[in-house]
């Protein structure tokens, strides 16, 4: 499994357009075969940085997924929407592998009340 991290630089005056774009991907990406973790927009701090994160089996699966995404009606419309509205100023994509697995179990609670 690999994880795709997409870093966006967005127009700070078009955050709502980016949010619409992200919600559309929330429908199209899982339908086309990737495990969407989420799209994250500015909240506090930078008003121009956003992220999209999803898991996919491998780079071969990624290529097939991208073809399905471009052929998907909502995917194609979302690409068009981004080009027309120009809210994405820069987009950087990186694929990473989780090297910390397996993770330890979280803290245990005793269930006792004080």
């Amino acid at each position: 499994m690999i994880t795709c991290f997409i870093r966006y630089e967005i127009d700070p005056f078009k955050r709502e357009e980016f949010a619409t774009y992200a919600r559309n991907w929330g429908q199209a990406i899982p339908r086309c075969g990737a495990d969407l973790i989420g799209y994250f927009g500015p909240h506090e701090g930078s008003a121009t940085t956003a992220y999209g994160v999803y898991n996919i089996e491998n780079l071969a699966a990624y290529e097939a997924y991208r073809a399905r995404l471009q052929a998907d009606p909502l995917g194609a419309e979302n690409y068009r929407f981004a080009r027309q509205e120009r809210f994405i100023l820069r987009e950087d994509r990186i694929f990473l592998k989780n090297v910390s697995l397996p993770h330890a179990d979280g803290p245990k609670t005793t269930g006792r009340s004080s």
Side-chain angles (χ1 to χ4, degrees):
M1 184 71 59
I2 56 175
T3 303
C4 180
F5 289 83
I6 308 167
R7 182 187 178 281
Y8 296 95
E9 180 183 340
I10 63 172
D11 182 327
F13 300 104
K14 294 188 174 185
R15 291 189 298 184
E16 281 305 312
E17 288 85 345
F18 181 81
T20 297
Y21 175 79
R23 285 189 298 273
N24 288 340
W25 285 140
Q27 301 302 308
I29 288 174
R31 181 171 60 234
C32 290
D35 173 26
L36 180 64
I37 295 169
Y39 269 73
F40 303 87
H43 177 69
E44 191 67 34
S46 172
T48 61
T49 303
Y51 294 91
V53 183
Y54 61 87
N55 293 315
I56 194 119
E57 187 178 349
N58 53 44
L59 289 176
Y62 170 75
E63 292 302 326
Y65 151 78
R66 291 283 292 186
R68 287 189 301 273
L69 198 59
Q70 290 174 352
D72 182 84
L74 182 56
E77 171 58 26
N78 218 26
Y79 286 125
R80 186 203 61 74
F81 174 63
R83 281 191 308 273
Q84 177 183 332
E85 297 299 322
R86 304 178 72 94
F87 50 86
I88 298 172
L89 306 176
R90 181 179 174 151
E91 179 177 337
D92 295 310
R93 187 176 313 263
I94 187 170
F95 293 90
L96 300 174
K97 181 178 176 181
N98 189 339
V99 296
S100 67
L101 292 175
H103 297 152
D105 292 335
K108 303 287 186 215
T109 58
T110 61
R112 289 187 245 162
S113 58
S114 310

